[in-house]
Amino acid sequence: MITLTEENYIKAIYHLSKQGAENVNTNALAEAMNTKASSATDMIRKLSEKDYANYKKYKGVTLTETGKRIAINIIRKHRLWEVFLVEKLNFTWDEVHELAEQLEHIKSQKLIDELDIFLGHPTHDPHGDPIPNKDGEITYVEKTLLSQAQVNLRYSCVGVNDSSSEFLQYLNNNNISLGSIIEVMHIEPFDKSINIKANGKLLTVSQSVAKNLYLKKL
Amino acid sequence: MITLTEENYIKAIYHLSKQGAENVNTNALAEAMNTKASSATDMIRKLSEKDYANYKKYKGVTLTETGKRIAINIIRKHRLWEVFLVEKLNFTWDEVHELAEQLEHIKSQKLIDELDIFLGHPTHDPHGDPIPNKDGEITYVEKTLLSQAQVNLRYSCVGVNDSSSEFLQYLNNNNISLGSIIEVMHIEPFDKSINIKANGKLLTVSQSVAKNLYLKKL
DNA sequence: ATAATTATTTAGATTAGTCTAAAAATATAT
DNA sequence: ATATATTTTTAGACTAATCTAAATAATTAT
Ligand SMILES: [Mn+2]
Ligand SMILES: [Mn+2]
Ligand SMILES: [Mn+2]
Ligand SMILES: [Mn+2]
């Protein structure tokens, strides 16, 4: 039996190894899990004993195939629940992440299969992230961070890198949502802040905002 | 913060004190929780320290008002989730209880409020049990156990006392569900087994079945 | 009223997950 | 190449929830 904590560590390892090197550092994992490095070491050991992870002392951790399968399944559940909350229960995209962190641990294959059917096999969650299919396959679409976008080009907003309510509410306040048209007007060399036209309205966003908004060239 | 285990003990105390004496025995609680009496004692102490329960050594345990409020809220969540699973996700009444045991612990007021709205404020769960409203009020309807029913009277099936899949599947196999018409034909004095006509079909049920089926006089 | 039985509590361990502080390994800078 | 800094692991302790075995209280039977 896999515990809730193990599931969360596995998911964290998965996400970290997608956005950085394949091998995940103990400190990075501890940071992501809001624990201390010593706790992360203990858990890495445990995951490795259970064959969810590959571990060599001082060399970081990677997931085994089993571990990856588990991670993807949790992510699938997380994102399907997010869709459910937004589409069926009147939640907004800034309200669902924390709750999905709870719901993703509910154990029932039939539940998730039926939820998927009930929602019409959605392909993306409310933040633009792809939903793995029943076989764990994930379809990635090309996307660019606003921080990497080119001046004078038109983009459409297709996702966020940070699903925290704080960031999403910032976007709400500036009328930016999935599908919004974003035009890059000017990049300020001094602090890399960016002048954009979002849905026709002028707006200046900081680098840290720009690093969390995904666009697609139009 | 209240733990999942605390919630389950509180719920068990609530159910036990509804069906027997107000004061719940340590052994009865341990039995219901599938633990040992010593574990129950420890938990009772903890609940009492947190003011969810009243406890006097050797005298059993009762819930405080706070404890009752918590119990009723968990039961509300449990039953709303059961309705959701049956009404929206194609589950049958014998498939939902265990899963609802997981879902009842999800913490989000908005989730449960919205689920209630989404389901159209259902008053009863798939097993005929009343769903407490937002204020914790429970409307009980009069019902008789089949084991207490009178010969030659016509009843309608309004609930079950045992929500286990085993019992519900037994009912499925005999075409009995909520709303089924049950006529009591004869009670065998030897073993108290009962001859009934269920939806027009003759059937003999044992005492232990009869003690788990709730009826309403027609 | 004693004795026997049953119920309950206590004592002491165990496991999962966490922590702090110290030790050891690795990486970086001079 | 050696010293310094950083990262990681180990050692030892804590809490929540559990267990077994033993002790004590309450109940029931004689
Ligand atoms: Mn999320
Ligand atoms: Mn998401
Ligand atoms: Mn149930
Ligand atoms: Mn029910």
Side-chain angles (χ1 to χ4, degrees):
Chain A
M1 198 55 280
I2 187 163
T3 70
L4 184 144
T5 310
E6 286 166 3
E7 288 191 344
N8 281 331
Y9 271 94
I10 289 172
K11 185 167 58 117
I13 295 168
Y14 181 87
H15 280 134
L16 288 168
S17 71
K18 284 279 147 176
Q19 52 160 73
E22 157 117 52
N23 277 64
V24 172
N25 297 328
T26 304
N27 270 348
L29 182 55
E31 158 109 56
M33 289 300 298
N34 274 302
T35 58
K36 297 303 164 77
S38 52
S39 305
T41 301
D42 286 347
M43 182 53 78
I44 290 169
R45 272 238 171 69
K46 199 178 157 204
L47 295 179
S48 141
E49 256 147 44
K50 290 195 172 191
D51 274 316
Y52 301 142
N54 307 113
Y55 173 54
K56 278 223 286 294
K57 267 195 201 181
Y58 297 100
K59 298 294 174 195
V61 62
T62 61
L63 292 179
T64 61
E65 282 310 307
T66 307
K68 270 181 211 153
R69 210 177 29 73
I70 292 169
I72 289 168
N73 190 239
I74 298 169
I75 290 165
R76 171 169 160 81
K77 292 194 278 181
H78 182 108
R79 293 179 181 166
L80 281 172
W81 278 116
E82 287 188 340
V83 172
F84 170 71
L85 294 171
V86 169
E87 300 280 308
K88 304 292 182 182
L89 297 194
N90 299 307
F91 279 71
T92 51
W93 72 339
D94 57 300
E95 294 176 318
V96 296
H97 181 74
E98 288 304 311
L99 185 44
E101 293 285 310
Q102 292 182 60
L103 288 161
E104 71 189 7
H105 300 289
I106 300 293
K107 283 166 186 64
S108 164
Q109 188 57 54
K110 171 156 181 158
L111 173 60
I112 206 64
D113 290 347
E114 291 288 342
L115 194 60
D116 187 35
I117 293 167
F118 184 58
L119 298 172
H121 304 291
T123 59
H124 290 80
D125 82 1
H127 313 104
D129 291 312
I131 299 176
N133 72 12
K134 221 180 149 172
D135 298 321
E137 294 154 352
I138 306 173
T139 314
Y140 295 97
V141 288
E142 226 212 314
K143 56 191 182 183
T144 323
L145 281 174
L146 170 53
S147 56
Q148 312 277 298
Q150 290 172 265
V151 176
N152 285 329
L153 283 184
R154 275 164 53 86
Y155 295 87
S156 151
C157 173
V158 296
V160 294
N161 190 32
D162 172 2
S163 293
S164 71
S165 51
E166 292 75 27
F167 180 59
L168 297 173
Q169 280 165 19
Y170 167 87
L171 296 180
N172 287 346
N173 292 338
N174 291 287
N175 267 302
I176 298 173
S177 58
L178 294 194
S180 291
I181 305 298
I182 308 275
E183 236 173 308
V184 180
M185 311 301 286
H186 172 71
I187 302 173
E188 175 57 46
F190 172 62
D191 64 354
K192 306 263 192 245
S193 64
I194 305 178
N195 282 104
I196 63 176
K197 210 187 266 177
N199 293 319
K201 242 182 82 186
L202 285 166
L203 178 68
T204 306
V205 303
S206 70
Q207 237 326 259
S208 69
V209 165
K211 277 183 176 160
N212 281 302
L213 201 61
Y214 284 116
L215 309 176
K216 194 184 71 185
K217 223 177 280 184
L218 284 180
Chain B
M1 200 56 275
I2 188 163
T3 70
L4 185 145
T5 310
E6 286 167 0
E7 287 191 343
N8 281 332
Y9 271 94
I10 288 172
K11 185 168 58 117
I13 295 169
Y14 181 88
H15 283 311
L16 288 169
S17 70
K18 284 277 148 179
Q19 54 161 73
E22 157 118 52
N23 276 64
V24 173
N25 297 328
T26 304
N27 269 347
L29 183 55
E31 158 110 57
M33 290 299 299
N34 275 304
T35 58
K36 296 304 164 74
S38 53
S39 306
T41 300
D42 285 348
M43 182 53 79
I44 289 170
R45 273 239 170 69
K46 200 177 156 204
L47 295 179
S48 140
E49 255 148 43
K50 290 195 173 190
D51 273 318
Y52 300 143
N54 307 114
Y55 173 55
K56 279 222 287 293
K57 264 196 201 178
Y58 296 102
K59 297 297 175 191
V61 63
T62 61
L63 291 179
T64 61
E65 282 311 306
T66 307
K68 271 180 211 154
R69 212 178 26 73
I70 292 169
I72 289 169
N73 189 239
I74 298 169
I75 290 166
R76 172 171 160 80
K77 291 194 279 182
H78 182 108
R79 293 179 181 167
L80 281 172
W81 278 116
E82 287 189 340
V83 172
F84 170 71
L85 294 171
V86 168
E87 301 279 308
K88 305 292 182 182
L89 297 194
N90 299 308
F91 279 73
T92 51
W93 72 337
D94 57 299
E95 293 176 318
V96 295
H97 181 74
E98 287 306 309
L99 185 43
E101 292 285 310
Q102 293 183 63
L103 289 161
E104 72 188 8
H105 299 289
I106 299 294
K107 283 166 187 66
S108 164
Q109 187 58 54
K110 171 156 180 156
L111 172 60
I112 208 63
D113 290 348
E114 292 288 342
L115 194 59
D116 188 34
I117 293 168
F118 184 59
L119 299 172
H121 304 290
T123 58
H124 291 80
D125 81 1
H127 314 104
D129 292 312
I131 299 176
N133 72 13
K134 222 181 151 174
D135 298 323
E137 294 152 351
I138 306 173
T139 313
Y140 295 99
V141 288
E142 227 212 313
K143 57 190 182 183
T144 321
L145 281 173
L146 170 53
S147 56
Q148 311 276 297
Q150 290 171 268
V151 175
N152 287 327
L153 283 184
R154 274 166 55 86
Y155 295 87
S156 152
C157 174
V158 295
V160 295
N161 189 34
D162 173 0
S163 293
S164 72
S165 51
E166 291 77 25
F167 180 58
L168 297 173
Q169 280 166 20
Y170 166 87
L171 296 180
N172 287 347
N173 292 338
N174 290 287
N175 267 301
I176 298 173
S177 59
L178 293 193
S180 291
I181 304 298
I182 309 275
E183 236 174 308
V184 180
M185 310 301 285
H186 172 71
I187 302 174
E188 176 58 46
F190 172 62
D191 65 354
K192 304 268 192 243
S193 65
I194 306 179
N195 282 105
I196 63 175
K197 210 186 265 176
N199 293 319
K201 242 182 81 186
L202 284 167
L203 178 66
T204 304
V205 302
S206 70
Q207 242 317 267
S208 70
V209 165
K211 277 182 175 158
N212 281 301
L213 200 62
Y214 283 116
L215 308 177
K216 195 183 71 183
K217 223 177 279 182
L218 285 179

